Amino acid sequence: MKLHRFVALPLFALLATAYGQQSGDNQTSTEAPPPGIRYEANVPAGGQAPPAMEIKKPGNLTPDRAKAGEGLFASMNCDGCHGGGGPGWVGPSLIDGRWRYGGADEEVFSSIYFGRPKGMPAYGGVLGADGIWMIVAYLKSQPPPSIVPTMSYENVSAAAPAPAAPAPVAATAKAAAPASPEQMITRYGCTACHAVDHKVVGPALKDVAAKYKGQADAEARLKEKIRDGGSGVWGDIPMTPNPQVPDQDLQAMVKWVLAIK
């Protein structure tokens, strides 16, 4: 019995030492990330494929470049999928610290520049490396939300301020003017994937109108497509479902799209 214990302990120590050395080697690895690759299966934003390049982080991701990235984030309709400031909407949050393809600056750059399968366009051909680094700087400057949807409430800081109560509405305030169909198209994020006269991620809206032209049930079919989503009609990228759009607004947008010449 004593001999058995004498042999087992050194063996365990040897294995533990080997494991520790391996873990240390992994932690101290300074291997550079692999060069960027243009993924042919991904969809280029605006039809402009990003040129292949090696990803090299610049040293000037300063606050002013983050501010410029904020403007690009809005002008390229990133907020149509990810929400204003990137908290997530149709697409995932970009500020909650959870990254499907990695959260290092170079990995976030790669996701935007080269795109990702199933919905994330490649913006490298439209913005170039410099513009995308500005967006990376902007995203990394955003404070994380106080509550992440899948977090346990026990992990949320008790010091987080409670949301302020909404200010009372004055009795004399006028009702907001109803939005036009063009404004609704932007409000509900349609412009993140569609433009009127050219393909972005999804087809041009004028092409959608042409496809449904003359069909007796055009309005009903297009409403169903927007509401439920789908794939395979205009390519491999799926159409995101939009159950949040009220029926009245959906009807107005469908009529407007079908009237495009």
Side-chain angles (χ1 to χ4, degrees), residues 17-18 34 44-45 92 102 118-119 123 128 137 143 147 168 185 200 229 235 247 250 258:
T17 303
K118 299 181 180 179
Y123 282 93
I147 298 178
I185 292 288
V200 184
D247 287 337
L250 182 58
L258 292 175

Side-chain angles (χ1 to χ4, degrees), residues 198-217:
H198 63 276
K199 175 181 172 65
V200 184
V201 177
L205 295 179
K206 69 175 185 178
D207 294 335
V208 174
K211 181 178 179 64
Y212 286 90
K213 184 178 180 180
Q215 299 182 23
D217 59 347

Side-chain angles (χ1 to χ4, degrees), residues 127-147:
L127 287 175
D130 192 49
I132 291 175
W133 279 121
M134 292 179 185
I135 293 178
V136 173
Y138 166 62
L139 294 176
K140 289 308 184 78
S141 72
Q142 294 290 91
S146 58
I147 298 178

Side-chain angles (χ1 to χ4, degrees), residues 114-184:
F114 295 110
R116 295 294 181 185
K118 299 181 180 179
M120 177 60 193
Y123 282 93
V126 176
L127 287 175
D130 192 49
I132 291 175
W133 279 121
M134 292 179 185
I135 293 178
V136 173
Y138 166 62
L139 294 176
K140 289 308 184 78
S141 72
Q142 294 290 91
S146 58
I147 298 178
V148 177
T150 57
M151 283 176 59
S152 168
Y153 280 93
E154 286 79 4
N155 294 331
V156 179
S157 172
V169 179
T172 56
K174 295 182 180 179
S180 67
E182 295 95 324
Q183 292 170 326
M184 294 176 192

Side-chain angles (χ1 to χ4, degrees), residues 37-39 42-53 55 72 76 78 108-116 120-133 135:
I37 301 170
R38 184 172 65 235
Y39 299 98
N42 290 3
V43 175
Q48 301 183 47
M53 62 168 289
I55 299 173
L72 287 174
M76 298 307 295
C78 305
V108 177
F109 175 94
S110 182
S111 292
I112 302 172
Y113 187 93
F114 295 110
R116 295 294 181 185
M120 177 60 193
Y123 282 93
V126 176
L127 287 175
D130 192 49
I132 291 175
W133 279 121
I135 293 178

